[in-house]
């Protein structure tokens, strides 16, 4: 059953499949439903994938999201935790 708070379910699922966090995917999907995909795409940037981040940067982002256990996680565990937040 679709989530009623997600306004563009197709885009949301595509973004999640690409590895984006649930929060980011929902934010982008809802903005595109509100403003149109071309408008949102035109202003969006391209961030490096988590695999390209340093462990320090991943831990900092995990800290911003208050992910428990981040200080002892490996890089792969941090990437997984961030993607599934």
């Amino acid at each position: 059953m679709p989530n009623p708070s997600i306004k563009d379910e197709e885009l949301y699922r595509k973004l999640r499949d690409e590895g984006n966090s649930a929060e980011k995917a929902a934010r982008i999907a809802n903005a595109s439903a509100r403003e149109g995909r071309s408008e949102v795409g035109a202003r969006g940037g391209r961030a490096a994938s988590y695999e390209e981040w340093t462990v320090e940067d991943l831990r900092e982002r995990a800290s911003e999201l208050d992910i428990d256990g981040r200080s002892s996680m490996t890089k792969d565990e941090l990437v997984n935790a961030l993607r599934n937040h």
Side-chain angles (χ1 to χ4, degrees):
M1 177 165 175
N3 183 335
S5 66
I6 305 298
K7 306 306 178 201
D8 187 338
E9 190 75 31
E10 177 186 353
L11 180 57
Y12 174 81
R13 289 190 187 284
K14 181 179 180 210
L15 291 165
R16 290 292 287 148
D17 290 344
E18 290 175 357
N20 291 287
S21 71
E23 179 183 353
K24 181 178 180 180
R27 191 171 53 246
I28 293 170
N30 289 343
S32 74
R34 183 176 56 251
E35 302 167 29
R37 286 187 182 185
S38 60
E39 178 68 29
V40 173
R43 73 168 183 256
R46 182 80 183 146
S49 71
Y50 283 140
E51 285 79 12
E52 297 175 31
W53 291 30
T54 65
V55 172
E56 182 180 337
D57 289 338
L58 291 167
R59 285 196 176 122
E60 185 175 323
R61 181 63 179 143
S63 176
E64 292 169 0
L65 298 174
D66 199 29
I67 294 175
D68 292 333
R70 63 189 171 270
S71 62
S72 62
M73 289 182 183
T74 65
K75 183 172 184 172
D76 288 339
E77 291 169 331
L78 285 163
V79 168
N80 186 47
L82 289 166
R83 286 198 172 135
N84 293 306
H85 174 269

